[in-house]
Amino acid sequence: MEELLQGDLSPGRNFEQLTNMSGVYSVRLGRNYRFVFGVTAGSAYPIAVGPHDQAYADATRRYRRRRS
């Protein structure tokens, strides 16, 4: 998390924008854990954290619910 806040992420952290989810990003915390967060108007907010597949599934569900 410190790397993320400082803007100094190593390439192994796999920081990426999630496909088909505007303003939603993911970063690797450990071998199988992801932190998914959104960015709106310059502010970040957490969406999901957990094992890879579960974090992405939770993020997708919350994103869809937010858009409806």
Side-chain angles (χ1 to χ4, degrees):
M1 291 303 297
E2 192 171 311
E3 290 176 45
L4 179 62
L5 292 172
Q6 292 177 359
D8 189 27
L9 289 174
S10 65
R13 292 292 181 192
N14 288 18
F15 174 70
E16 61 188 1
Q17 181 171 0
L18 297 185
T19 306
N20 299 323
M21 287 194 255
S22 178
V24 179
Y25 300 87
S26 169
V27 65
R28 177 186 289 161
L29 297 179
R31 183 177 184 134
N32 191 39
Y33 273 72
R34 301 295 186 272
F35 173 57
V36 181
F37 62 99
V39 177
T40 304
S43 295
Y45 57 93
I47 296 175
V49 64
H52 180 279
D53 293 345
Q54 187 64 49
Y56 286 174
D58 289 348
T60 300
R61 186 173 50 255
R62 290 176 182 150
Y63 184 82
R64 287 181 183 157
R65 189 173 25 203
R66 199 170 45 124
R67 295 290 180 198
S68 1

